Amino acid sequence: MAEIGGPGLGGALVQLVGAPFALLVDAVSYLASALGVSAVRKREKPVRIDPAPLRSQASEGFRFTFSSPYLRATLGEAASYNLCWQIVLPILTLFAVKELDMSPGTLGLVLSVGAVGALLGAAFTDRLAHRVGLGRTLVIAAVIGDLAPLLLPVAHRGTWAAPLLAVAFFVQGFGITACNVHTMTIRQTVTPERLLGRTNAAYLFVALGMKPVGSLLGGWLGTHLGLRGALVVGTVGLLSTSLFLILSPLRTVRTLDSVRPEPPEEVRAAAPTSTP
Protein backbone atom coordinates (compact mmCIF):
# COMPACT_ATOMS: atom_id res chain seq x y z
CA MET A 1 0.00 0.00 0.00
CA ALA A 2 2.85 2.36 0.83
CA GLU A 3 4.44 1.70 -2.55
CA ILE A 4 1.28 2.89 -4.28
CA GLY A 5 1.53 6.38 -2.79
CA GLY A 6 5.32 6.65 -2.47
CA PRO A 7 6.40 7.00 -6.12
CA GLY A 8 3.58 9.39 -6.95
CA LEU A 9 4.39 11.60 -3.97
CA GLY A 10 8.08 11.48 -4.79
CA GLY A 11 7.48 12.50 -8.39
CA ALA A 12 5.20 15.33 -7.31
CA LEU A 13 7.78 16.63 -4.81
CA VAL A 14 10.55 16.55 -7.41
CA GLN A 15 8.38 18.45 -9.85
CA LEU A 16 7.16 21.02 -7.31
CA VAL A 17 10.19 21.72 -5.09
CA GLY A 18 13.11 19.96 -6.77
CA ALA A 19 15.01 16.73 -6.22
CA PRO A 20 17.21 17.84 -3.25
CA PHE A 21 14.22 18.74 -1.08
CA ALA A 22 12.42 15.55 -2.11
CA LEU A 23 15.44 13.53 -0.97
CA LEU A 24 15.43 15.41 2.33
CA VAL A 25 11.76 14.53 2.89
CA ASP A 26 12.55 10.91 2.06
CA ALA A 27 15.41 10.82 4.56
CA VAL A 28 13.32 12.34 7.34
CA SER A 29 10.56 9.82 6.66
CA TYR A 30 12.86 7.06 7.91
CA LEU A 31 12.46 8.52 11.37
CA ALA A 32 8.91 7.17 11.35
CA SER A 33 10.33 3.70 10.78
CA ALA A 34 12.82 4.12 13.62
CA LEU A 35 10.10 5.32 15.97
CA GLY A 36 7.90 2.39 15.02
CA VAL A 37 10.62 -0.15 15.71
CA SER A 38 11.53 1.50 19.00
CA ALA A 39 7.89 1.26 20.11
CA VAL A 40 7.99 -2.57 20.06
CA ARG A 41 7.84 -3.76 23.67
CA LYS A 42 7.38 -7.52 23.27
CA ARG A 43 9.91 -9.60 25.20
CA GLU A 44 11.23 -12.55 23.23
CA LYS A 45 12.62 -15.78 24.58
CA PRO A 46 16.42 -15.89 24.81
CA VAL A 47 18.03 -17.33 21.70
CA ARG A 48 20.19 -20.40 22.17
CA ILE A 49 23.59 -19.56 20.72
CA ASP A 50 25.07 -22.19 18.42
CA PRO A 51 28.68 -22.82 19.55
CA ALA A 52 29.75 -23.79 16.02
CA PRO A 53 32.07 -21.32 14.25
CA LEU A 54 30.37 -18.76 12.03
CA ARG A 55 32.04 -20.20 8.95
CA SER A 56 30.56 -23.66 9.53
CA GLN A 57 27.12 -22.18 10.20
CA ALA A 58 27.27 -20.23 6.94
CA SER A 59 28.47 -23.32 5.08
CA GLU A 60 25.56 -25.31 6.48
CA GLY A 61 23.15 -22.70 5.16
CA PHE A 62 24.67 -22.84 1.67
CA ARG A 63 24.75 -26.66 1.67
CA PHE A 64 21.10 -26.96 2.55
CA THR A 65 20.08 -24.25 0.07
CA PHE A 66 21.81 -25.90 -2.87
CA SER A 67 20.87 -29.47 -1.86
CA SER A 68 17.14 -28.72 -1.99
CA PRO A 69 15.67 -28.84 -5.52
CA TYR A 70 12.96 -26.41 -4.45
CA LEU A 71 15.36 -23.84 -3.02
CA ARG A 72 17.72 -24.19 -5.98
CA ALA A 73 14.86 -23.43 -8.36
CA THR A 74 13.52 -20.42 -6.49
CA LEU A 75 17.03 -19.08 -5.86
CA GLY A 76 17.96 -19.44 -9.53
CA GLU A 77 14.83 -17.54 -10.53
CA ALA A 78 15.38 -14.80 -7.95
CA ALA A 79 19.10 -14.31 -8.65
CA SER A 80 18.72 -14.21 -12.44
CA TYR A 81 15.71 -11.91 -12.17
CA ASN A 82 17.56 -9.49 -9.89
CA LEU A 83 20.52 -9.46 -12.26
CA CYS A 84 18.44 -8.66 -15.34
CA TRP A 85 16.04 -6.24 -13.66
CA GLN A 86 18.93 -4.27 -12.14
CA ILE A 87 20.25 -3.79 -15.65
CA VAL A 88 16.99 -1.97 -16.36
CA LEU A 89 16.55 0.08 -13.18
CA PRO A 90 19.62 2.39 -13.29
CA ILE A 91 18.71 3.65 -16.77
CA LEU A 92 14.93 3.57 -16.52
CA THR A 93 14.56 7.10 -15.14
CA LEU A 94 16.98 8.51 -17.71
CA PHE A 95 15.12 6.70 -20.49
CA ALA A 96 11.72 7.97 -19.32
CA VAL A 97 12.87 11.57 -18.87
CA LYS A 98 15.27 11.96 -21.81
CA GLU A 99 13.88 9.59 -24.44
CA LEU A 100 10.17 9.72 -23.60
CA ASP A 101 10.08 13.30 -22.29
CA MET A 102 8.16 12.34 -19.13
CA SER A 103 7.88 14.72 -16.22
CA PRO A 104 8.86 13.49 -12.72
CA GLY A 105 5.22 13.57 -11.66
CA THR A 106 4.11 11.42 -14.58
CA LEU A 107 6.88 8.91 -13.97
CA GLY A 108 5.93 8.70 -10.30
CA LEU A 109 2.31 7.95 -11.23
CA VAL A 110 3.43 5.28 -13.70
CA LEU A 111 5.48 3.53 -11.00
CA SER A 112 2.55 3.75 -8.59
CA VAL A 113 0.43 1.82 -11.07
CA GLY A 114 2.98 -0.99 -10.81
CA ALA A 115 2.47 -1.03 -7.05
CA VAL A 116 -1.29 -1.38 -7.59
CA GLY A 117 -0.59 -4.46 -9.71
CA ALA A 118 1.62 -5.85 -6.93
CA LEU A 119 -1.15 -5.32 -4.38
CA LEU A 120 -3.66 -7.21 -6.54
CA GLY A 121 -1.13 -9.97 -7.19
CA ALA A 122 -0.68 -10.48 -3.45
CA ALA A 123 -4.45 -10.44 -2.91
CA PHE A 124 -5.44 -12.99 -5.57
CA THR A 125 -2.49 -15.36 -5.85
CA ASP A 126 -3.76 -17.68 -3.11
CA ARG A 127 -7.10 -18.15 -4.88
CA LEU A 128 -5.29 -18.86 -8.13
CA ALA A 129 -3.10 -21.46 -6.44
CA HIS A 130 -6.16 -23.24 -5.02
CA ARG A 131 -7.76 -23.31 -8.45
CA VAL A 132 -4.90 -24.30 -10.78
CA GLY A 133 -2.26 -25.60 -8.36
CA LEU A 134 0.73 -24.07 -6.60
CA GLY A 135 3.30 -25.03 -9.23
CA ARG A 136 1.27 -23.75 -12.16
CA THR A 137 0.60 -20.50 -10.33
CA LEU A 138 4.32 -20.00 -9.77
CA VAL A 139 5.15 -20.60 -13.41
CA ILE A 140 2.27 -18.53 -14.81
CA ALA A 141 3.00 -15.61 -12.50
CA ALA A 142 6.74 -15.69 -13.24
CA VAL A 143 6.18 -15.81 -17.02
CA ILE A 144 3.70 -12.91 -16.85
CA GLY A 145 6.14 -10.88 -14.78
CA ASP A 146 8.96 -11.64 -17.22
CA LEU A 147 7.01 -10.79 -20.39
CA ALA A 148 5.54 -7.44 -19.31
CA PRO A 149 8.84 -5.44 -19.22
CA LEU A 150 9.33 -6.13 -22.94
CA LEU A 151 6.97 -3.17 -23.48
CA LEU A 152 9.54 -0.77 -21.99
CA PRO A 153 12.10 -0.57 -24.83
CA VAL A 154 9.40 -0.33 -27.53
CA ALA A 155 7.92 2.85 -25.98
CA HIS A 156 8.53 6.07 -27.89
CA ARG A 157 7.90 9.71 -27.14
CA GLY A 158 4.25 10.58 -27.53
CA THR A 159 0.80 10.27 -26.04
CA TRP A 160 0.98 6.51 -25.52
CA ALA A 161 4.35 6.38 -23.76
CA ALA A 162 3.02 6.78 -20.21
CA PRO A 163 0.04 4.37 -20.61
CA LEU A 164 2.33 1.77 -22.19
CA LEU A 165 4.79 1.92 -19.29
CA ALA A 166 1.93 1.88 -16.79
CA VAL A 167 0.57 -1.33 -18.32
CA ALA A 168 4.04 -2.89 -18.25
CA PHE A 169 4.59 -2.07 -14.58
CA PHE A 170 1.07 -3.09 -13.59
CA VAL A 171 1.34 -6.54 -15.18
CA GLN A 172 4.91 -7.02 -13.96
CA GLY A 173 3.93 -6.04 -10.41
CA PHE A 174 1.02 -8.47 -10.44
CA GLY A 175 3.09 -11.39 -11.75
CA ILE A 176 6.24 -10.98 -9.69
CA THR A 177 4.40 -10.39 -6.42
CA ALA A 178 2.08 -13.34 -7.03
CA CYS A 179 5.19 -15.47 -7.59
CA ASN A 180 7.12 -14.09 -4.61
CA VAL A 181 4.32 -14.74 -2.12
CA HIS A 182 4.53 -18.47 -2.80
CA THR A 183 8.30 -18.77 -3.19
CA MET A 184 8.84 -17.18 0.22
CA THR A 185 6.29 -19.57 1.74
CA ILE A 186 7.99 -22.54 0.09
CA ARG A 187 11.37 -21.46 1.45
CA GLN A 188 10.05 -21.36 4.99
CA THR A 189 8.16 -24.64 4.58
CA VAL A 190 11.00 -26.81 3.31
CA THR A 191 13.63 -25.44 5.70
CA PRO A 192 13.96 -26.91 9.20
CA GLU A 193 13.36 -24.29 11.86
CA ARG A 194 16.91 -24.62 13.17
CA LEU A 195 18.30 -23.65 9.76
CA LEU A 196 15.93 -20.81 8.86
CA GLY A 197 18.36 -18.03 9.76
CA ARG A 198 21.47 -19.40 8.07
CA THR A 199 19.55 -20.69 5.03
CA ASN A 200 17.85 -17.33 4.59
CA ALA A 201 21.23 -15.59 4.86
CA ALA A 202 22.74 -17.85 2.19
CA TYR A 203 19.70 -17.41 -0.06
CA LEU A 204 19.72 -13.61 0.19
CA PHE A 205 23.50 -13.43 -0.18
CA VAL A 206 23.18 -14.93 -3.65
CA ALA A 207 19.85 -13.39 -4.70
CA LEU A 208 20.56 -9.84 -3.54
CA GLY A 209 24.23 -10.12 -4.44
CA MET A 210 23.19 -10.02 -8.10
CA LYS A 211 21.77 -6.51 -7.71
CA PRO A 212 25.05 -4.54 -7.64
CA VAL A 213 26.36 -6.71 -10.48
CA GLY A 214 23.28 -5.94 -12.55
CA SER A 215 23.47 -2.22 -11.76
CA LEU A 216 27.09 -2.00 -12.88
CA LEU A 217 26.29 -3.98 -16.01
CA GLY A 218 23.29 -1.76 -16.74
CA GLY A 219 25.42 1.37 -16.48
CA TRP A 220 28.06 -0.13 -18.76
CA LEU A 221 25.48 -1.26 -21.33
CA GLY A 222 23.76 2.13 -21.23
CA THR A 223 27.08 3.83 -21.95
CA HIS A 224 28.01 1.57 -24.88
CA LEU A 225 24.63 0.54 -26.35
CA GLY A 226 22.52 3.52 -25.43
CA LEU A 227 19.55 3.61 -23.08
CA ARG A 228 17.16 1.73 -25.36
CA GLY A 229 19.75 -0.90 -26.23
CA ALA A 230 20.48 -1.57 -22.56
CA LEU A 231 16.73 -1.90 -21.88
CA VAL A 232 16.49 -4.49 -24.64
CA VAL A 233 19.30 -6.56 -23.12
CA GLY A 234 17.81 -6.42 -19.63
CA THR A 235 14.21 -7.12 -20.57
CA VAL A 236 15.06 -9.94 -22.98
CA GLY A 237 17.27 -11.45 -20.30
CA LEU A 238 14.27 -11.58 -17.97
CA LEU A 239 12.66 -14.16 -20.26
CA SER A 240 15.18 -16.76 -19.08
CA THR A 241 14.51 -16.42 -15.35
CA SER A 242 11.25 -18.41 -15.22
CA LEU A 243 13.05 -21.42 -16.74
CA PHE A 244 14.44 -22.22 -13.30
CA LEU A 245 10.87 -22.87 -12.13
CA ILE A 246 9.65 -24.51 -15.35
CA LEU A 247 12.49 -27.07 -15.31
CA SER A 248 12.19 -27.88 -11.60
CA PRO A 249 9.96 -30.24 -9.57
CA LEU A 250 7.97 -27.19 -8.44
CA ARG A 251 6.21 -27.13 -11.80
CA THR A 252 4.13 -30.21 -10.89
CA VAL A 253 3.44 -29.35 -7.24
CA ARG A 254 -0.26 -29.08 -6.50
CA THR A 255 -0.36 -27.96 -2.86
CA LEU A 256 2.07 -26.71 -0.22
CA ASP A 257 1.85 -30.08 1.58
CA SER A 258 3.72 -31.59 -1.37
CA VAL A 259 6.87 -29.59 -0.67
CA ARG A 260 7.82 -30.98 2.74
CA PRO A 261 10.82 -33.18 1.91
CA GLU A 262 13.04 -34.78 4.51
CA PRO A 263 16.12 -32.64 5.17
CA PRO A 264 19.45 -33.89 3.77
CA GLU A 265 21.25 -36.59 5.73
CA GLU A 266 23.97 -34.29 7.08
CA VAL A 267 21.34 -31.84 8.31
CA ARG A 268 19.33 -34.59 10.07
CA ALA A 269 22.48 -35.82 11.74
CA ALA A 270 23.29 -32.36 13.03
CA ALA A 271 19.75 -31.56 14.22
CA PRO A 272 19.21 -31.38 18.00
CA THR A 273 17.45 -34.36 19.58
CA SER A 274 15.22 -32.22 21.78
CA THR A 275 13.31 -29.00 21.40
CA PRO A 276 15.17 -26.09 23.06
Side-chain angles (χ1 to χ4, degrees):
M1 290 293 293
E3 288 185 5
I4 294 175
L9 179 60
L13 285 172
V14 170
Q15 193 161 333
L16 291 174
V17 298
F21 185 77
L23 286 173
L24 178 62
V25 173
D26 182 49
V28 173
S29 72
Y30 280 87
L31 289 175
S33 176
L35 291 174
V37 173
S38 65
V40 176
R41 294 290 181 264
K42 180 176 176 60
R43 291 184 176 272
E44 298 183 358
K45 295 180 180 179
V47 178
R48 190 179 69 171
I49 304 300
D50 192 330
L54 180 60
R55 179 180 297 180
S56 65
Q57 295 184 48
S59 299
E60 192 175 18
F62 279 103
R63 283 199 306 272
F64 184 82
T65 299
F66 287 102
S67 67
S68 168
Y70 303 121
L71 294 183
R72 283 201 309 269
T74 57
L75 177 57
E77 188 272 339
S80 59
Y81 187 92
N82 285 341
L83 175 67
C84 295
W85 185 238
Q86 287 298 132
I87 292 176
V88 174
L89 280 184
I91 58 177
L92 182 60
T93 301
L94 287 174
F95 177 75
V97 173
K98 291 188 173 183
E99 298 287 335
L100 305 183
D101 199 26
M102 281 189 186
S103 66
T106 301
L107 180 58
L109 289 175
V110 167
L111 296 176
S112 294
V113 171
V116 174
L119 179 65
L120 294 177
F124 291 103
T125 187
D126 191 53
R127 298 181 187 179
L128 185 61
H130 281 296
R131 178 165 297 184
V132 304
L134 177 60
R136 288 183 180 179
T137 299
L138 277 175
V139 171
I140 292 171
V143 170
I144 289 175
D146 291 346
L147 286 173
L150 289 174
L151 294 175
L152 301 179
V154 303
H156 286 78
R157 183 175 304 182
T159 306
W160 292 101
L164 190 65
L165 262 64
V167 169
F169 285 120
F170 179 88
V171 176
Q172 183 206 29
F174 183 96
I176 294 305
T177 304
C179 181
N180 285 345
V181 167
H182 292 297
T183 55
M184 293 175 70
T185 305
I186 289 170
R187 283 164 51 193
Q188 293 180 322
T189 301
V190 303
T191 306
E193 184 177 357
R194 188 181 71 86
L195 296 179
L196 278 173
R198 61 199 70 181
T199 299
N200 192 53
Y203 191 100
L204 294 180
F205 179 84
V206 177
L208 299 185
M210 290 296 102
K211 286 192 172 187
V213 178
S215 294
L216 290 170
L217 184 57
W220 184 85
L221 289 171
T223 301
H224 292 83
L225 300 181
L227 300 177
R228 195 179 299 274
L231 284 178
V232 170
V233 173
T235 54
V236 171
L238 287 173
L239 298 178
S240 65
T241 65
S242 56
L243 291 176
F244 286 95
L245 301 177
I246 295 173
L247 300 177
S248 77
L250 280 173
R251 185 187 74 253
T252 59
V253 168
R254 183 69 188 178
T255 65
L256 191 61
D257 291 333
S258 305
V259 289
R260 298 179 185 272
E262 285 292 318
E265 193 65 36
E266 66 271 15
V267 175
R268 288 204 304 269
T273 56
S274 61
T275 302

